[in-house]
């Protein structure tokens, strides 16, 4: 905490223009939250219990779904309290904990997306070497690298931000504690912190994006040369669904974080943040696995075993 800090709590502004619709918005976001948690929890559960899904692809997907559950749980419960009870205050330590968890999981998630794209590249473009390249040890090392890299980079940034002085105002024009609005509220010189945040966002998002684009470009080239039209159509259908979700995630995060001046577009950041905290976590289970026949079969087998055990 900075030496000049006098603020003990912040006020989350939420969505003042529609605050009178609190109960309606509470119901909508609660349903979306429960659906997201349920869908992602189902993916994690069936991946763990089904031998059919013991592959690198579903291992990465289960980790990603676990990240999604934690990611939205760091933000949405507080938003629901704001909508239902109007309690907009959050303590100084809780605000920074929320900001750290949100940004750390987000950064690790984008790095994991790059790993998932590489996994699909190896599976489609080098199928004969897939089991050798994507061994269990390699999968664990890749996931560990994503988590350690995200944790190291984001911890350094959050510690720097927490050392700024906060002497008022204390109203955050957002529905959760994000680093951009927090930096803007500081009464310290924030130019170096803004550039650090910009550089880290640029590095994480564009590194992940470039890897993903290269991987999917090679996948598309391989799919085009498939002999069967039915196989090409099925593969393109899966890829297009994945790319829709990736476009939403990357588009909204680039809009929010990749700008040198954190003060710009703070109001519009709220709407863009809803895409990552409500829309994509809801779509991910459907897009990535729940439309997949292997997952449907594994789900039926799991339910059958549960019925037999009773």
């Amino acid at each position: 905490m900075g030496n000049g800090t006098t603020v003990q709590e912040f006020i989350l502004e939420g969505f003042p223009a529609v605050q009178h619709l609190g109960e309606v918005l509470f119901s909508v976001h609660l349903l979306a939250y429960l659906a997201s948690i349920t869908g992602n929890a189902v993916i994690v559960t069936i991946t763990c219990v089904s031998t059919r899904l013991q592959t690198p692809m579903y291992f990465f997907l289960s980790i990603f779904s676990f990240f999604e559950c934690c990611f939205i749980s760091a933000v949405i419960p507080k938003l629901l309290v704001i909508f239902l009870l109007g309690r907009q205050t959050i303590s100084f330590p809780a605000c920074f904990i929320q900001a750290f968890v949100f940004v750390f999981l987000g950064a690790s998630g984008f790095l994991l997306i790059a790993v998932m794209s590489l996994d699909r590249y190896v599976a489609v473009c080098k199928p004969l070497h897939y089991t050798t390249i994507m061994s269990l040890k390699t999968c664990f090392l890749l996931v560990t690298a994503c988590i350690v890299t995200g944790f190291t980079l984001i911890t350094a940034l959050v510690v720097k931000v927490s050392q700024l002085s906060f002497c008022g105002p204390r109203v955050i024009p957002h529905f959760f504690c994000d680093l951009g609005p927090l930096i803007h509220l500081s009464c310290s010189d924030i130019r170096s912190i803004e550039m650090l945040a910009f550089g880290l966002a640029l590095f994480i998002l564009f590194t992940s994006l470039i890897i993903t684009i290269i991987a999917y470009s090679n996948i598309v080239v391989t799919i085009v040369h498939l002999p069967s039209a039915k196989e090409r159509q099925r593969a393109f259908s899966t890829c297009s669904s994945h790319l829709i979700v990736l476009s939403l995630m990357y588009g909204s995060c680039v809009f929010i974080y990749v700008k040198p001046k954190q003060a710009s577009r703070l109001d519009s950041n709220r709407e863009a943040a809803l895409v990552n905290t409500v829309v994509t976590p809801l779509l991910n289970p459907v897009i990535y696995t729940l439309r997949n026949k292997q997952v449907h079969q594994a789900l039926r087998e799991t339910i059958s075993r549960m019925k037999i055990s009773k």
Side-chain angles (χ1 to χ4, degrees), residues 31-75:
L31 289 174
Y33 175 64
L34 293 176
S36 299
I37 290 291
T38 303
N40 285 290
V42 166
I43 292 170
V44 175
T45 303
I46 62 173
T47 302
C48 292
V49 302
S50 175
T51 55
R52 184 184 294 272
L53 302 182
Q54 301 297 315
T55 63
M57 171 181 154
Y58 291 104
F59 170 72
F60 291 133
L61 283 172
S62 65
I63 299 295
F64 185 72
S65 294
F66 176 74
F67 278 10
E68 289 283 78
C69 288
C70 298
F71 180 76
I72 59 177
S73 295
V75 174

Side-chain angles (χ1 to χ4, degrees), residues 212-213 216 220 236 238-250 287-288:
T212 302
I213 289 173
Y216 272 97
V220 169
F236 272 123
T238 303
C239 284
S240 62
S241 299
H242 291 184
L243 291 173
I244 289 170
V245 175
L246 293 178
S247 298
L248 288 171
M249 292 179 66
Y250 281 109
I287 296 297
Y288 279 107

Side-chain angles (χ1 to χ4, degrees), residues 186-198:
S186 173
C187 48
S188 303
D189 184 357
I190 60 173
R191 286 173 294 181
S192 61
I193 296 292
E194 279 191 319
M195 292 309 299
L196 176 62
F198 173 71

Side-chain angles (χ1 to χ4, degrees), residues 188-244:
S188 303
D189 184 357
I190 60 173
R191 286 173 294 181
S192 61
I193 296 292
E194 279 191 319
M195 292 309 299
L196 176 62
F198 173 71
L200 287 178
L202 202 65
F203 170 75
I204 292 169
L205 287 172
F206 281 94
T207 300
S208 172
L209 181 59
I210 290 168
I211 293 172
T212 302
I213 289 173
I214 293 173
Y216 272 97
S217 297
N218 282 278
I219 289 170
V220 169
V221 171
T222 303
I223 290 172
V224 168
H225 291 91
L226 289 175
S228 170
K230 187 176 181 180
E231 287 180 348
R232 287 198 300 269
Q233 183 180 3
R234 183 172 58 188
F236 272 123
S237 174
T238 303
C239 284
S240 62
S241 299
H242 291 184
L243 291 173
I244 289 170

Side-chain angles (χ1 to χ4, degrees), residues 271-298:
E271 288 71 25
L274 281 176
V275 174
N276 275 338
T277 56
V278 178
V279 179
T280 53
L282 192 59
L283 291 177
N284 280 337
V286 179
I287 296 297
Y288 279 107
T289 55
L290 297 184
R291 292 177 58 196
N292 188 298
K293 290 181 180 179
Q294 277 186 294
V295 175
H296 290 170
Q297 184 62 34

Side-chain angles (χ1 to χ4, degrees), residues 77-96:
K78 180 60 180 178
L79 179 61
L80 294 175
V81 171
I82 292 173
F83 283 143
L84 187 63
L85 304 176
R87 293 178 183 171
Q88 297 172 283
T89 57
I90 183 169
S91 69
F92 192 99
C95 188
F96 275 89

